[in-house]
Amino acid sequence: MDGNTTAPVVRALIRGVGHYLPARVVPNAEFAATLDTSDEWIRARTGIERRHFAAEGQGTSDLAARAARAALADAGLQPDDIDAVILATSTPDLTFPSAATMVQAELGMTRGFAYDVQAVCAGFVFALANADAMIRAGLARRALVIGAETFSRLMDWTDRSTCVLFGDGAGAVVLEAGQGVGSAADRGVLSADLHSDGRYRAALYVDGGVSTGTIGHLRMQGKEVFRHAIEKLAETAHRALDKAGLTGADVDWIVPHQANLRIIAATAQRMQVPMDRVVVTVQDHGNTSAASIPLALSVGRQRGQIRDGDLVVAEAIGGGLAWGSVVLRW
Ligand code: UT7
């Protein structure tokens, strides 16, 4: 989509944002009790200091519904004002129905439609692009776009190279159709850039599912994913900015997927955006997969970083590999 056509266009505007983190906080030191690891290693190699884990019996849909309620409250809207619930997750409570329909029921919504989007860590970017397209096509006027995960359920607790990296949480935004003039000065979603390449599916996957009759554990070739992330994230962000008729110099905030502080910093450097223009939450949340960007958007608003009118670039990469970015003006 071209952000600079200067003709009246429908824009998906951000009307509200919110998040939820489960109560249990796990500091790095807890892992050192059972694994050959240390707080120093985890901080130095990833930037992670702590993460939240969901309580026993607390499913992804529970986290998602709490984040959705917070976003609705921020928007000043009721559940029945929403036409579409789009939930990015790779850890739905059950194989089906979608966690999104569980959220719909939990919120008491009896109208509209709900479905999950599964693009692993890039899930929220895909869901946001999907919701934007729905709104511009007139299929929905207001959409709840949620990223929610309980990756703690996929961990192999004997594998120090993965189990220290991930956390649980949820974030949500409310999008609403509005009018723009078709320029990059418009508010709302301005452009998106999405990719996947299944040749790299073995770099990051879960070794279980319907075909094995088990939930399985997350397996990752960390170095391989790291290499792709460094190469692909700045590239996709630049492509999305280009589609909107903007450059890195126009960016107020990068809101990156929060997997590793070294990846976040390298991407910012490649985009020539200073780190004080990057929302960083990885130290407190770890990698929450599809929840990480909406969590960072919500925390970034709470901290007073992201202000009305600011230009935000969200970018992410994960299992698939799948990656992409969205440019929006708050
Ligand atoms: O969200 C989806 C996208 N995912 C990502 O973006 C993750 C991308 N990858 C990464 O962030 C990094 O590759 C990791 C954080 C996963 C690993 O960092 P690294 O600097 O690439 O470390 P490495 O895998 O090369 O391992 C270096 C050493 C190894 O020991 P040897 O072989 O040099 O003796 C590992 O066994 O560090 C060891 N190691 C650890 N040591 C202490 C691996 N995990 C740990 C640990 N504690 N938790």
Side-chain angles (χ1 to χ4, degrees):
M1 168 192 154
D2 184 349
N4 270 335
T5 51
T6 58
V9 291
V10 176
R11 294 290 196 193
L13 309 178
I14 304 272
R15 168 110 188 224
V17 64
H19 71 270
Y20 172 76
L21 289 158
R24 185 176 163 215
V25 179
V26 177
N28 290 345
E30 261 194 57
F31 294 97
T34 52
L35 289 169
D36 181 15
T37 189
S38 65
D39 179 42
E40 293 71 32
W41 191 95
I42 300 168
R43 276 178 200 247
R45 304 310 293 168
T46 72
I48 298 166
E49 297 173 21
R50 60 194 70 81
R51 74 286 290 139
H52 293 247
F53 284 158
E56 198 159 329
Q58 187 177 32
T60 292
S61 65
D62 179 80
L63 274 52
R66 290 170 194 255
R69 279 205 191 88
L72 285 168
D74 188 46
L77 293 171
Q78 299 301 317
D80 273 340
D81 295 325
I82 299 297
D83 303 310
V85 179
I86 306 176
L87 172 48
T89 189
S90 300
T91 48
D93 305 38
L94 300 171
T95 305
F96 73 78
S98 66
T101 53
M102 295 186 184
V103 171
Q104 188 188 23
E106 178 65 30
L107 294 177
M109 279 175 66
T110 52
R111 59 179 296 278
F113 56 95
Y115 59 98
D116 290 355
V117 166
Q118 208 263 52
V120 202
C121 297
F124 187 77
V125 165
F126 278 58
L128 201 54
N130 193 244
D132 171 53
M134 284 264 183
I135 286 171
R136 285 188 293 106
L139 288 168
R141 206 172 104 67
R142 294 197 190 101
L144 250 174
V145 188
I146 310 168
E149 302 277 20
T150 46
F151 261 50
S152 64
R153 307 257 151 77
L154 298 177
M155 292 301 111
D156 172 352
W157 300 111
T158 66
D159 178 9
R160 67 176 182 174
S161 73
T162 53
C163 75
V164 302
L165 303 176
F166 293 89
D168 302 336
V173 300
V174 178
L175 293 182
E176 182 175 71
Q179 191 81 19
V181 300
S183 87
D186 281 350
R187 291 174 74 174
V189 178
L190 298 178
S191 64
D193 181 63
L194 306 179
H195 301 272
S196 65
D197 190 337
R199 286 177 302 168
Y200 302 121
R201 63 195 181 280
L204 176 48
Y205 69 103
V206 171
D207 61 3
V210 173
S211 63
T212 61
T214 60
I215 297 171
H217 292 124
L218 181 144
R219 307 295 178 199
M220 177 164 72
Q221 296 165 22
K223 268 204 179 325
E224 169 90 349
V225 178
F226 192 97
R227 193 175 57 75
H228 283 288
I230 299 289
E231 174 196 306
K232 293 181 166 58
L233 288 173
E235 202 174 85
T236 178
H238 276 135
R239 250 194 309 258
L241 283 166
D242 199 45
K243 285 186 199 180
L246 296 163
T247 71
D250 298 307
V251 173
D252 291 305
W253 294 102
I254 301 178
V255 181
H257 172 46
Q258 311 280 325
N260 188 316
L261 189 56
R262 291 185 291 144
I263 296 172
I264 293 171
T267 303
Q269 193 179 21
R270 283 180 173 225
M271 292 178 67
Q272 295 183 304
V273 173
M275 278 304 281
D276 62 3
R277 296 267 123 202
V278 183
V279 177
V280 180
T281 56
V282 70
Q283 69 282 3
D284 297 324
H285 304 161
N287 182 345
T288 57
S289 185
S292 91
I293 287 175
L295 269 165
L297 289 171
S298 182
V299 169
R301 279 292 276 185
Q302 276 187 351
R303 287 180 187 156
Q305 293 177 309
I306 303 169
R307 291 163 186 249
D308 291 353
D310 278 358
L311 190 84
V312 173
V313 181
E315 35 88 348
I317 186 167
L321 295 175
W323 67 99
S325 55
V326 169
V327 173
L328 63 89
R329 194 176 297 284
W330 202 274

